[in-house]
Amino acid sequence: QVQLVESGGGLVQAGGSLRLSCTASGRTFSMYRMGWFRQAPGKEREFVATISRSGGSTDYAGSVKGRFTISRDNAKNTVYLQMASLESEDTAIYYCAAGAVFSTARLSATAYDYWGQGAQVTVSP
C-alpha cells in the first residue's frame, strides 16, 4: 500500500512552467509504476504521462508530448511532472497514481491502484 501526496500546483500564465511533485509513503516506491492523469472542468479524466518502475521508460499523451516531462527519484519516493509551454487547455486537476502490479494497459487508469488527492493547475490566457 502507498499514500500519495501532491504538491506544486498553482496559477501560471500561458507559456509558463510548473513542476508537480508526488511523494509516496512506504519503502517500496520503486515497485510501482507511476502515472499522471488530469481532469478538466466538464471533462473526463485523461491520461497525461507514465513512467516505469526504474524510470527507464516513459509515455505521454499526444497533447502534452514535447511540453511535459515525467521523471522519478526512487531515493526520494517522488515522481515529478515538469510542465512547460503551458496552455489554457492544460487547466485541470492533476492526479498522480501508483500501479502496484504489472499491466500492459499502462495508459489506462485501471492499471493504477493508488491515487493522490489532486493538484489544481490553472493556466491563464
Side-chain angles (χ1 to χ4, degrees):
Q1 296 185 354
V2 62
Q3 290 181 291
L4 306 175
V5 180
E6 296 186 0
S7 62
L11 175 66
V12 64
Q13 291 185 340
S17 300
L18 282 176
R19 188 179 74 163
L20 301 180
S21 299
C22 177
T23 300
S25 64
R27 300 178 179 178
T28 57
F29 179 73
S30 63
M31 297 179 64
Y32 296 94
R33 166 173 287 277
M34 300 299 297
W36 289 94
F37 294 77
R38 68 186 183 186
Q39 187 167 16
K43 303 293 185 179
E44 295 183 346
R45 180 178 55 187
E46 67 174 351
F47 166 77
V48 176
T50 187
I51 188 167
S52 63
R53 291 163 178 81
S54 67
S57 181
T58 59
D59 289 285
Y60 299 90
S63 58
V64 307
K65 192 172 185 178
R67 300 188 298 118
F68 290 12
T69 302
I70 187 171
S71 61
R72 68 191 296 162
D73 186 339
N74 286 349
K76 296 181 178 179
N77 281 16
T78 301
V79 63
Y80 305 95
L81 185 67
Q82 179 66 52
M83 304 180 291
S85 301
L86 284 163
E87 306 166 353
S88 60
E89 292 79 8
D90 297 316
T91 295
I93 300 174
Y94 284 72
Y95 299 91
C96 64
V101 299
F102 174 82
S103 175
T104 57
R106 65 188 184 277
L107 309 188
S108 171
T110 62
Y112 301 88
D113 303 281
Y114 306 101
W115 294 82
Q117 80 285 358
Q120 178 69 51
V121 173
T122 302
V123 183
S124 62

